Amino acid sequence: MSDEEDEIVLDQLNDEDLVLQMHDDLYDGLKEEIEEGVNILLGRKWTPYDVLTKALVEGMRIVGIDFRDGILFVPEVLLAANAMKAGMAILKPLLAETGAPRLGKMVIGTVKGDIHDIGKNLVCMMMEGAGFEVVDLGINNPVENYLEAIDKEQADILGMSALLTTTMPYMKVVIDTLVQQGIRDDYVILVGGAPLNEEFSKSIGADAYCRDAAVAVETAKELMKKKHNQMIA
Ligand code: B1M
């Protein structure tokens, strides 16, 4: 068979095969194919949220397994991350397009020593989509960045992300600093990232651990409602 005959035409695949192909393309770091796949699914009336979770996040989960098992290495994972970000860039305005009333303001960043930002970016997108104002501090944030931003932005919520077991303890450094300065209770503090769990979140004094971006939105809504009720009580 010639190469031409071998070539896969994404648009000709049914939804299920297209999603599987997108997992492969993400694995191979094929940015343009991911962009094309995202646009095809949207054209087939998939919701942006389904495209995000079923095609992109699931694809990255598979990448994560082979990274852990030493089958993929940093350069390949970086390519996959770039492809994922390209897909997310198409979805971002669609997820933010709800016209919901502003529910509160969140400052969020990945902690010092950690450069993982895909999950955090996803949380930003979903929070914006749900009606929160989001100030994204990016990656590798020392405590000073958080302190400056929550004050300057008059934030309601402080969000922190960490993907490494070596960087997650830094969240406690940030919370302890807020406690020392007597401002801890002025903010709802949400934490997330693959190595965290509920117990860790409690042990460092955060208000809640968010397993994923959807949980972050629900938790933020719930805790903002509580905060509001306390203020008017
Ligand atoms: Co990294 N890496 N990485 N990596 N990387 C992990 C985290 C790892 C688990 C891989 C593995 O071994 N299986 C492992 C950590 C092991 C550990 O600590 N126990 C690891 C390692 C070891 C490393 C390096 C040390 C590798 C090296 O250099 N030898 C290095 C560290 C660099 C550093 O930060 N200093 C490194 C580098 C990289 C890349 C640069 C190549 C790339 C990052 C690119 C980028 O982010 N721009 C990368 C990637 C992509 C990963 C994996 C494969 C995927 C992470 C991801 O994007 N997941 C990851 C494997 C894994 O997690 N299984 C891995 C998809 C994303 C949607 O999920 O980030 O979990 P996640 O976010 C979710 C939730 O956790 C939650 O909501 C998100 C959306 O649903 N959430 C929040 C996250 N943050 C939140 C904040 C909130 C709320 C919810 O606040 C309110």
PDB file of all heavy atoms in Angstrom, residues 34-71:
ATOM      1  N   ILE A  34      -4.199  17.646  16.447  1.00  0.00           N
ATOM      2  CA  ILE A  34      -5.062  17.856  17.626  1.00  0.00           C
ATOM      3  C   ILE A  34      -6.002  19.034  17.375  1.00  0.00           C
ATOM      4  O   ILE A  34      -7.211  18.956  17.647  1.00  0.00           O
ATOM      5  CB  ILE A  34      -4.198  18.074  18.901  1.00  0.00           C
ATOM      6  CG1 ILE A  34      -3.554  16.751  19.335  1.00  0.00           C
ATOM      7  CG2 ILE A  34      -5.019  18.665  20.038  1.00  0.00           C
ATOM      8  CD1 ILE A  34      -4.542  15.647  19.711  1.00  0.00           C
ATOM      9  N   GLU A  35      -5.461  20.102  16.811  1.00  0.00           N
ATOM     10  CA  GLU A  35      -6.324  21.261  16.505  1.00  0.00           C
ATOM     11  C   GLU A  35      -7.434  20.853  15.537  1.00  0.00           C
ATOM     12  O   GLU A  35      -8.610  21.192  15.721  1.00  0.00           O
ATOM     13  CB  GLU A  35      -5.485  22.392  15.899  1.00  0.00           C
ATOM     14  CG  GLU A  35      -4.591  23.064  16.933  1.00  0.00           C
ATOM     15  CD  GLU A  35      -3.584  24.029  16.311  1.00  0.00           C
ATOM     16  OE1 GLU A  35      -3.253  23.875  15.104  1.00  0.00           O
ATOM     17  OE2 GLU A  35      -3.108  24.914  17.019  1.00  0.00           O
ATOM     18  N   GLU A  36      -7.036  20.060  14.523  1.00  0.00           N
ATOM     19  CA  GLU A  36      -8.032  19.631  13.536  1.00  0.00           C
ATOM     20  C   GLU A  36      -9.107  18.757  14.204  1.00  0.00           C
ATOM     21  O   GLU A  36     -10.311  18.952  13.984  1.00  0.00           O
ATOM     22  CB  GLU A  36      -7.326  18.848  12.413  1.00  0.00           C
ATOM     23  CG  GLU A  36      -8.233  18.564  11.233  1.00  0.00           C
ATOM     24  CD  GLU A  36      -7.534  17.697  10.171  1.00  0.00           C
ATOM     25  OE1 GLU A  36      -6.278  17.625  10.150  1.00  0.00           O
ATOM     26  OE2 GLU A  36      -8.266  17.076   9.366  1.00  0.00           O
ATOM     27  N   GLY A  37      -8.649  17.825  15.039  1.00  0.00           N
ATOM     28  CA  GLY A  37      -9.585  16.921  15.717  1.00  0.00           C
ATOM     29  C   GLY A  37     -10.571  17.689  16.598  1.00  0.00           C
ATOM     30  O   GLY A  37     -11.769  17.401  16.606  1.00  0.00           O
ATOM     31  N   VAL A  38     -10.051  18.662  17.345  1.00  0.00           N
ATOM     32  CA  VAL A  38     -10.919  19.472  18.214  1.00  0.00           C
ATOM     33  C   VAL A  38     -11.979  20.175  17.368  1.00  0.00           C
ATOM     34  O   VAL A  38     -13.178  20.149  17.680  1.00  0.00           O
ATOM     35  CB  VAL A  38     -10.083  20.514  19.010  1.00  0.00           C
ATOM     36  CG1 VAL A  38     -10.981  21.574  19.644  1.00  0.00           C
ATOM     37  CG2 VAL A  38      -9.256  19.816  20.088  1.00  0.00           C
ATOM     38  N   ASN A  39     -11.543  20.764  16.260  1.00  0.00           N
ATOM     39  CA  ASN A  39     -12.501  21.484  15.410  1.00  0.00           C
ATOM     40  C   ASN A  39     -13.538  20.547  14.791  1.00  0.00           C
ATOM     41  O   ASN A  39     -14.715  20.904  14.675  1.00  0.00           O
ATOM     42  CB  ASN A  39     -11.748  22.249  14.310  1.00  0.00           C
ATOM     43  CG  ASN A  39     -11.115  23.513  14.885  1.00  0.00           C
ATOM     44  OD1 ASN A  39     -11.705  24.163  15.751  1.00  0.00           O
ATOM     45  ND2 ASN A  39      -9.915  23.856  14.430  1.00  0.00           N
ATOM     46  N   ILE A  40     -13.109  19.345  14.433  1.00  0.00           N
ATOM     47  CA  ILE A  40     -14.068  18.391  13.849  1.00  0.00           C
ATOM     48  C   ILE A  40     -15.135  18.022  14.889  1.00  0.00           C
ATOM     49  O   ILE A  40     -16.336  18.044  14.620  1.00  0.00           O
ATOM     50  CB  ILE A  40     -13.348  17.119  13.341  1.00  0.00           C
ATOM     51  CG1 ILE A  40     -12.452  17.461  12.148  1.00  0.00           C
ATOM     52  CG2 ILE A  40     -14.363  16.035  12.955  1.00  0.00           C
ATOM     53  CD1 ILE A  40     -11.535  16.327  11.712  1.00  0.00           C
ATOM     54  N   LEU A  41     -14.687  17.708  16.112  1.00  0.00           N
ATOM     55  CA  LEU A  41     -15.656  17.317  17.153  1.00  0.00           C
ATOM     56  C   LEU A  41     -16.611  18.462  17.468  1.00  0.00           C
ATOM     57  O   LEU A  41     -17.818  18.252  17.645  1.00  0.00           O
ATOM     58  CB  LEU A  41     -14.928  16.857  18.422  1.00  0.00           C
ATOM     59  CG  LEU A  41     -14.207  15.512  18.309  1.00  0.00           C
ATOM     60  CD1 LEU A  41     -13.399  15.216  19.575  1.00  0.00           C
ATOM     61  CD2 LEU A  41     -15.190  14.362  18.053  1.00  0.00           C
ATOM     62  N   LEU A  42     -16.081  19.679  17.528  1.00  0.00           N
ATOM     63  CA  LEU A  42     -16.963  20.828  17.779  1.00  0.00           C
ATOM     64  C   LEU A  42     -17.972  20.974  16.642  1.00  0.00           C
ATOM     65  O   LEU A  42     -19.147  21.239  16.870  1.00  0.00           O
ATOM     66  CB  LEU A  42     -16.143  22.118  17.924  1.00  0.00           C
ATOM     67  CG  LEU A  42     -15.293  22.246  19.196  1.00  0.00           C
ATOM     68  CD1 LEU A  42     -14.401  23.490  19.124  1.00  0.00           C
ATOM     69  CD2 LEU A  42     -16.187  22.303  20.442  1.00  0.00           C
ATOM     70  N   GLY A  43     -17.485  20.735  15.412  1.00  0.00           N
ATOM     71  CA  GLY A  43     -18.359  20.815  14.241  1.00  0.00           C
ATOM     72  C   GLY A  43     -19.451  19.753  14.284  1.00  0.00           C
ATOM     73  O   GLY A  43     -20.527  19.926  13.720  1.00  0.00           O
ATOM     74  N   ARG A  44     -19.154  18.651  14.970  1.00  0.00           N
ATOM     75  CA  ARG A  44     -20.169  17.588  15.123  1.00  0.00           C
ATOM     76  C   ARG A  44     -21.037  17.822  16.358  1.00  0.00           C
ATOM     77  O   ARG A  44     -21.661  16.902  16.882  1.00  0.00           O
ATOM     78  CB  ARG A  44     -19.470  16.222  15.217  1.00  0.00           C
ATOM     79  CG  ARG A  44     -18.793  15.824  13.919  1.00  0.00           C
ATOM     80  CD  ARG A  44     -18.170  14.447  14.040  1.00  0.00           C
ATOM     81  NE  ARG A  44     -17.332  14.130  12.896  1.00  0.00           N
ATOM     82  CZ  ARG A  44     -16.558  13.059  12.810  1.00  0.00           C
ATOM     83  NH1 ARG A  44     -16.529  12.191  13.806  1.00  0.00           N
ATOM     84  NH2 ARG A  44     -15.831  12.839  11.735  1.00  0.00           N
ATOM     85  N   LYS A  45     -20.975  19.016  16.879  1.00  0.00           N
ATOM     86  CA  LYS A  45     -21.834  19.451  17.998  1.00  0.00           C
ATOM     87  C   LYS A  45     -21.459  18.830  19.344  1.00  0.00           C
ATOM     88  O   LYS A  45     -22.295  18.721  20.248  1.00  0.00           O
ATOM     89  CB  LYS A  45     -23.333  19.187  17.711  1.00  0.00           C
ATOM     90  CG  LYS A  45     -23.830  19.850  16.443  1.00  0.00           C
ATOM     91  CD  LYS A  45     -23.901  21.359  16.606  1.00  0.00           C
ATOM     92  CE  LYS A  45     -24.256  22.070  15.318  1.00  0.00           C
ATOM     93  NZ  LYS A  45     -23.384  23.195  14.965  1.00  0.00           N
ATOM     94  N   TRP A  46     -20.209  18.388  19.462  1.00  0.00           N
ATOM     95  CA  TRP A  46     -19.754  17.981  20.790  1.00  0.00           C
ATOM     96  C   TRP A  46     -19.677  19.233  21.660  1.00  0.00           C
ATOM     97  O   TRP A  46     -19.331  20.313  21.171  1.00  0.00           O
ATOM     98  CB  TRP A  46     -18.359  17.356  20.693  1.00  0.00           C
ATOM     99  CG  TRP A  46     -18.349  15.904  20.360  1.00  0.00           C
ATOM    100  CD1 TRP A  46     -19.048  15.292  19.364  1.00  0.00           C
ATOM    101  CD2 TRP A  46     -17.594  14.889  21.020  1.00  0.00           C
ATOM    102  NE1 TRP A  46     -18.765  13.945  19.360  1.00  0.00           N
ATOM    103  CE2 TRP A  46     -17.874  13.683  20.367  1.00  0.00           C
ATOM    104  CE3 TRP A  46     -16.695  14.885  22.094  1.00  0.00           C
ATOM    105  CZ2 TRP A  46     -17.293  12.476  20.761  1.00  0.00           C
ATOM    106  CZ3 TRP A  46     -16.110  13.691  22.477  1.00  0.00           C
ATOM    107  CH2 TRP A  46     -16.424  12.494  21.821  1.00  0.00           C
ATOM    108  N   THR A  47     -19.931  19.093  22.965  1.00  0.00           N
ATOM    109  CA  THR A  47     -19.755  20.259  23.840  1.00  0.00           C
ATOM    110  C   THR A  47     -18.249  20.456  24.060  1.00  0.00           C
ATOM    111  O   THR A  47     -17.478  19.475  24.056  1.00  0.00           O
ATOM    112  CB  THR A  47     -20.413  20.040  25.222  1.00  0.00           C
ATOM    113  OG1 THR A  47     -19.742  18.943  25.866  1.00  0.00           O
ATOM    114  CG2 THR A  47     -21.896  19.729  25.096  1.00  0.00           C
ATOM    115  N   PRO A  48     -17.831  21.708  24.267  1.00  0.00           N
ATOM    116  CA  PRO A  48     -16.410  21.953  24.538  1.00  0.00           C
ATOM    117  C   PRO A  48     -15.916  21.130  25.728  1.00  0.00           C
ATOM    118  O   PRO A  48     -14.794  20.630  25.723  1.00  0.00           O
ATOM    119  CB  PRO A  48     -16.370  23.457  24.858  1.00  0.00           C
ATOM    120  CG  PRO A  48     -17.581  24.027  24.207  1.00  0.00           C
ATOM    121  CD  PRO A  48     -18.620  22.955  24.200  1.00  0.00           C
ATOM    122  N   TYR A  49     -16.788  20.962  26.738  1.00  0.00           N
ATOM    123  CA  TYR A  49     -16.380  20.207  27.925  1.00  0.00           C
ATOM    124  C   TYR A  49     -16.102  18.741  27.585  1.00  0.00           C
ATOM    125  O   TYR A  49     -15.134  18.146  28.063  1.00  0.00           O
ATOM    126  CB  TYR A  49     -17.478  20.307  28.999  1.00  0.00           C
ATOM    127  CG  TYR A  49     -17.090  19.621  30.292  1.00  0.00           C
ATOM    128  CD1 TYR A  49     -16.143  20.188  31.136  1.00  0.00           C
ATOM    129  CD2 TYR A  49     -17.650  18.395  30.648  1.00  0.00           C
ATOM    130  CE1 TYR A  49     -15.759  19.562  32.304  1.00  0.00           C
ATOM    131  CE2 TYR A  49     -17.275  17.764  31.824  1.00  0.00           C
ATOM    132  CZ  TYR A  49     -16.342  18.348  32.655  1.00  0.00           C
ATOM    133  OH  TYR A  49     -15.952  17.716  33.815  1.00  0.00           O
ATOM    134  N   ASP A  50     -16.937  18.147  26.736  1.00  0.00           N
ATOM    135  CA  ASP A  50     -16.712  16.745  26.347  1.00  0.00           C
ATOM    136  C   ASP A  50     -15.447  16.598  25.513  1.00  0.00           C
ATOM    137  O   ASP A  50     -14.700  15.628  25.660  1.00  0.00           O
ATOM    138  CB  ASP A  50     -17.921  16.217  25.564  1.00  0.00           C
ATOM    139  CG  ASP A  50     -18.994  15.677  26.492  1.00  0.00           C
ATOM    140  OD1 ASP A  50     -18.742  15.617  27.715  1.00  0.00           O
ATOM    141  OD2 ASP A  50     -20.086  15.332  26.012  1.00  0.00           O
ATOM    142  N   VAL A  51     -15.206  17.551  24.618  1.00  0.00           N
ATOM    143  CA  VAL A  51     -13.976  17.493  23.812  1.00  0.00           C
ATOM    144  C   VAL A  51     -12.772  17.545  24.753  1.00  0.00           C
ATOM    145  O   VAL A  51     -11.823  16.753  24.644  1.00  0.00           O
ATOM    146  CB  VAL A  51     -13.906  18.667  22.800  1.00  0.00           C
ATOM    147  CG1 VAL A  51     -12.621  18.590  21.992  1.00  0.00           C
ATOM    148  CG2 VAL A  51     -15.125  18.662  21.877  1.00  0.00           C
ATOM    149  N   LEU A  52     -12.849  18.461  25.710  1.00  0.00           N
ATOM    150  CA  LEU A  52     -11.754  18.645  26.661  1.00  0.00           C
ATOM    151  C   LEU A  52     -11.487  17.370  27.452  1.00  0.00           C
ATOM    152  O   LEU A  52     -10.362  16.868  27.511  1.00  0.00           O
ATOM    153  CB  LEU A  52     -12.146  19.787  27.614  1.00  0.00           C
ATOM    154  CG  LEU A  52     -11.116  20.213  28.643  1.00  0.00           C
ATOM    155  CD1 LEU A  52      -9.916  20.821  27.957  1.00  0.00           C
ATOM    156  CD2 LEU A  52     -11.723  21.231  29.591  1.00  0.00           C
ATOM    157  N   THR A  53     -12.548  16.826  28.059  1.00  0.00           N
ATOM    158  CA  THR A  53     -12.327  15.699  28.967  1.00  0.00           C
ATOM    159  C   THR A  53     -12.097  14.378  28.220  1.00  0.00           C
ATOM    160  O   THR A  53     -11.184  13.633  28.544  1.00  0.00           O
ATOM    161  CB  THR A  53     -13.515  15.546  29.939  1.00  0.00           C
ATOM    162  OG1 THR A  53     -14.725  15.540  29.185  1.00  0.00           O
ATOM    163  CG2 THR A  53     -13.560  16.679  30.931  1.00  0.00           C
ATOM    164  N   LYS A  54     -12.907  14.122  27.184  1.00  0.00           N
ATOM    165  CA  LYS A  54     -12.833  12.799  26.533  1.00  0.00           C
ATOM    166  C   LYS A  54     -11.663  12.690  25.555  1.00  0.00           C
ATOM    167  O   LYS A  54     -11.055  11.623  25.427  1.00  0.00           O
ATOM    168  CB  LYS A  54     -14.152  12.492  25.826  1.00  0.00           C
ATOM    169  CG  LYS A  54     -15.281  12.319  26.829  1.00  0.00           C
ATOM    170  CD  LYS A  54     -16.590  11.943  26.181  1.00  0.00           C
ATOM    171  CE  LYS A  54     -17.669  11.806  27.244  1.00  0.00           C
ATOM    172  NZ  LYS A  54     -19.009  12.007  26.769  1.00  0.00           N
ATOM    173  N   ALA A  55     -11.362  13.773  24.851  1.00  0.00           N
ATOM    174  CA  ALA A  55     -10.296  13.682  23.856  1.00  0.00           C
ATOM    175  C   ALA A  55      -8.943  14.133  24.427  1.00  0.00           C
ATOM    176  O   ALA A  55      -7.946  13.428  24.300  1.00  0.00           O
ATOM    177  CB  ALA A  55     -10.659  14.524  22.629  1.00  0.00           C
ATOM    178  N   LEU A  56      -8.925  15.292  25.106  1.00  0.00           N
ATOM    179  CA  LEU A  56      -7.624  15.847  25.524  1.00  0.00           C
ATOM    180  C   LEU A  56      -7.147  15.318  26.882  1.00  0.00           C
ATOM    181  O   LEU A  56      -6.045  14.778  26.989  1.00  0.00           O
ATOM    182  CB  LEU A  56      -7.704  17.385  25.556  1.00  0.00           C
ATOM    183  CG  LEU A  56      -8.048  18.060  24.222  1.00  0.00           C
ATOM    184  CD1 LEU A  56      -8.001  19.578  24.364  1.00  0.00           C
ATOM    185  CD2 LEU A  56      -7.114  17.620  23.106  1.00  0.00           C
ATOM    186  N   VAL A  57      -7.988  15.478  27.916  1.00  0.00           N
ATOM    187  CA  VAL A  57      -7.533  15.076  29.258  1.00  0.00           C
ATOM    188  C   VAL A  57      -7.260  13.568  29.304  1.00  0.00           C
ATOM    189  O   VAL A  57      -6.261  13.114  29.860  1.00  0.00           O
ATOM    190  CB  VAL A  57      -8.570  15.488  30.333  1.00  0.00           C
ATOM    191  CG1 VAL A  57      -8.178  14.948  31.699  1.00  0.00           C
ATOM    192  CG2 VAL A  57      -8.686  17.010  30.398  1.00  0.00           C
ATOM    193  N   GLU A  58      -8.126  12.785  28.674  1.00  0.00           N
ATOM    194  CA  GLU A  58      -7.919  11.333  28.657  1.00  0.00           C
ATOM    195  C   GLU A  58      -6.621  10.992  27.905  1.00  0.00           C
ATOM    196  O   GLU A  58      -5.867  10.121  28.319  1.00  0.00           O
ATOM    197  CB  GLU A  58      -9.146  10.640  28.025  1.00  0.00           C
ATOM    198  CG  GLU A  58      -9.033   9.148  27.815  1.00  0.00           C
ATOM    199  CD  GLU A  58      -8.737   8.347  29.096  1.00  0.00           C
ATOM    200  OE1 GLU A  58      -8.913   8.864  30.200  1.00  0.00           O
ATOM    201  OE2 GLU A  58      -8.302   7.179  28.941  1.00  0.00           O
ATOM    202  N   GLY A  59      -6.361  11.716  26.810  1.00  0.00           N
ATOM    203  CA  GLY A  59      -5.116  11.491  26.064  1.00  0.00           C
ATOM    204  C   GLY A  59      -3.905  11.780  26.933  1.00  0.00           C
ATOM    205  O   GLY A  59      -2.927  11.024  26.940  1.00  0.00           O
ATOM    206  N   MET A  60      -3.989  12.859  27.724  1.00  0.00           N
ATOM    207  CA  MET A  60      -2.855  13.225  28.572  1.00  0.00           C
ATOM    208  C   MET A  60      -2.679  12.236  29.715  1.00  0.00           C
ATOM    209  O   MET A  60      -1.578  12.013  30.195  1.00  0.00           O
ATOM    210  CB  MET A  60      -3.065  14.658  29.086  1.00  0.00           C
ATOM    211  CG  MET A  60      -1.836  15.277  29.709  1.00  0.00           C
ATOM    212  SD  MET A  60      -0.322  15.067  28.771  1.00  0.00           S
ATOM    213  CE  MET A  60      -0.171  16.620  27.977  1.00  0.00           C
ATOM    214  N   ARG A  61      -3.803  11.624  30.132  1.00  0.00           N
ATOM    215  CA  ARG A  61      -3.710  10.598  31.181  1.00  0.00           C
ATOM    216  C   ARG A  61      -2.861   9.419  30.687  1.00  0.00           C
ATOM    217  O   ARG A  61      -2.022   8.892  31.404  1.00  0.00           O
ATOM    218  CB  ARG A  61      -5.117  10.122  31.558  1.00  0.00           C
ATOM    219  CG  ARG A  61      -5.157   9.238  32.798  1.00  0.00           C
ATOM    220  CD  ARG A  61      -6.541   8.654  33.035  1.00  0.00           C
ATOM    221  NE  ARG A  61      -6.945   7.705  31.998  1.00  0.00           N
ATOM    222  CZ  ARG A  61      -6.560   6.431  31.930  1.00  0.00           C
ATOM    223  NH1 ARG A  61      -5.771   5.937  32.872  1.00  0.00           N
ATOM    224  NH2 ARG A  61      -6.955   5.651  30.941  1.00  0.00           N
ATOM    225  N   ILE A  62      -3.052   9.065  29.415  1.00  0.00           N
ATOM    226  CA  ILE A  62      -2.295   7.943  28.841  1.00  0.00           C
ATOM    227  C   ILE A  62      -0.809   8.311  28.741  1.00  0.00           C
ATOM    228  O   ILE A  62       0.076   7.526  29.071  1.00  0.00           O
ATOM    229  CB  ILE A  62      -2.885   7.567  27.455  1.00  0.00           C
ATOM    230  CG1 ILE A  62      -4.351   7.127  27.625  1.00  0.00           C
ATOM    231  CG2 ILE A  62      -2.052   6.478  26.782  1.00  0.00           C
ATOM    232  CD1 ILE A  62      -5.150   7.070  26.318  1.00  0.00           C
ATOM    233  N   VAL A  63      -0.558   9.552  28.323  1.00  0.00           N
ATOM    234  CA  VAL A  63       0.833  10.042  28.259  1.00  0.00           C
ATOM    235  C   VAL A  63       1.476   9.923  29.643  1.00  0.00           C
ATOM    236  O   VAL A  63       2.620   9.472  29.780  1.00  0.00           O
ATOM    237  CB  VAL A  63       0.859  11.522  27.775  1.00  0.00           C
ATOM    238  CG1 VAL A  63       2.240  12.130  27.948  1.00  0.00           C
ATOM    239  CG2 VAL A  63       0.411  11.616  26.316  1.00  0.00           C
ATOM    240  N   GLY A  64       0.711  10.309  30.683  1.00  0.00           N
ATOM    241  CA  GLY A  64       1.223  10.290  32.055  1.00  0.00           C
ATOM    242  C   GLY A  64       1.635   8.895  32.498  1.00  0.00           C
ATOM    243  O   GLY A  64       2.648   8.718  33.169  1.00  0.00           O
ATOM    244  N   ILE A  65       0.866   7.898  32.070  1.00  0.00           N
ATOM    245  CA  ILE A  65       1.179   6.516  32.469  1.00  0.00           C
ATOM    246  C   ILE A  65       2.519   6.089  31.858  1.00  0.00           C
ATOM    247  O   ILE A  65       3.391   5.548  32.531  1.00  0.00           O
ATOM    248  CB  ILE A  65       0.039   5.561  32.025  1.00  0.00           C
ATOM    249  CG1 ILE A  65      -1.233   5.865  32.815  1.00  0.00           C
ATOM    250  CG2 ILE A  65       0.451   4.098  32.194  1.00  0.00           C
ATOM    251  CD1 ILE A  65      -2.487   5.181  32.298  1.00  0.00           C
ATOM    252  N   ASP A  66       2.699   6.387  30.556  1.00  0.00           N
ATOM    253  CA  ASP A  66       3.940   5.959  29.910  1.00  0.00           C
ATOM    254  C   ASP A  66       5.141   6.798  30.334  1.00  0.00           C
ATOM    255  O   ASP A  66       6.284   6.330  30.293  1.00  0.00           O
ATOM    256  CB  ASP A  66       3.763   5.969  28.381  1.00  0.00           C
ATOM    257  CG  ASP A  66       3.024   4.709  27.915  1.00  0.00           C
ATOM    258  OD1 ASP A  66       2.621   3.916  28.791  1.00  0.00           O
ATOM    259  OD2 ASP A  66       2.870   4.511  26.694  1.00  0.00           O
ATOM    260  N   PHE A  67       4.888   8.039  30.780  1.00  0.00           N
ATOM    261  CA  PHE A  67       5.965   8.875  31.340  1.00  0.00           C
ATOM    262  C   PHE A  67       6.421   8.240  32.653  1.00  0.00           C
ATOM    263  O   PHE A  67       7.607   8.052  32.910  1.00  0.00           O
ATOM    264  CB  PHE A  67       5.406  10.282  31.557  1.00  0.00           C
ATOM    265  CG  PHE A  67       6.422  11.330  31.942  1.00  0.00           C
ATOM    266  CD1 PHE A  67       7.757  11.258  31.545  1.00  0.00           C
ATOM    267  CD2 PHE A  67       6.036  12.436  32.691  1.00  0.00           C
ATOM    268  CE1 PHE A  67       8.662  12.248  31.888  1.00  0.00           C
ATOM    269  CE2 PHE A  67       6.929  13.432  33.040  1.00  0.00           C
ATOM    270  CZ  PHE A  67       8.250  13.331  32.645  1.00  0.00           C
ATOM    271  N   ARG A  68       5.444   7.865  33.469  1.00  0.00           N
ATOM    272  CA  ARG A  68       5.747   7.229  34.758  1.00  0.00           C
ATOM    273  C   ARG A  68       6.535   5.941  34.563  1.00  0.00           C
ATOM    274  O   ARG A  68       7.480   5.668  35.278  1.00  0.00           O
ATOM    275  CB  ARG A  68       4.425   6.917  35.478  1.00  0.00           C
ATOM    276  CG  ARG A  68       4.594   6.222  36.825  1.00  0.00           C
ATOM    277  CD  ARG A  68       3.303   5.601  37.288  1.00  0.00           C
ATOM    278  NE  ARG A  68       2.872   4.513  36.400  1.00  0.00           N
ATOM    279  CZ  ARG A  68       1.618   4.090  36.268  1.00  0.00           C
ATOM    280  NH1 ARG A  68       0.655   4.680  36.929  1.00  0.00           N
ATOM    281  NH2 ARG A  68       1.316   3.091  35.455  1.00  0.00           N
ATOM    282  N   ASP A  69       6.153   5.185  33.533  1.00  0.00           N
ATOM    283  CA  ASP A  69       6.774   3.878  33.329  1.00  0.00           C
ATOM    284  C   ASP A  69       8.070   3.942  32.525  1.00  0.00           C
ATOM    285  O   ASP A  69       8.624   2.913  32.138  1.00  0.00           O
ATOM    286  CB  ASP A  69       5.771   2.934  32.641  1.00  0.00           C
ATOM    287  CG  ASP A  69       4.575   2.647  33.547  1.00  0.00           C
ATOM    288  OD1 ASP A  69       4.675   2.933  34.760  1.00  0.00           O
ATOM    289  OD2 ASP A  69       3.549   2.153  33.046  1.00  0.00           O
ATOM    290  N   GLY A  70       8.533   5.142  32.226  1.00  0.00           N
ATOM    291  CA  GLY A  70       9.815   5.294  31.534  1.00  0.00           C
ATOM    292  C   GLY A  70       9.761   4.955  30.056  1.00  0.00           C
ATOM    293  O   GLY A  70      10.785   4.687  29.427  1.00  0.00           O
ATOM    294  N   ILE A  71       8.556   4.975  29.481  1.00  0.00           N
ATOM    295  CA  ILE A  71       8.419   4.690  28.040  1.00  0.00           C
ATOM    296  C   ILE A  71       8.517   6.009  27.268  1.00  0.00           C
ATOM    297  O   ILE A  71       9.064   6.070  26.173  1.00  0.00           O
ATOM    298  CB  ILE A  71       7.073   3.979  27.763  1.00  0.00           C
ATOM    299  CG1 ILE A  71       7.064   2.621  28.485  1.00  0.00           C
ATOM    300  CG2 ILE A  71       6.843   3.787  26.255  1.00  0.00           C
ATOM    301  CD1 ILE A  71       5.684   1.992  28.613  1.00  0.00           C
TER     302      ILE A  71
END
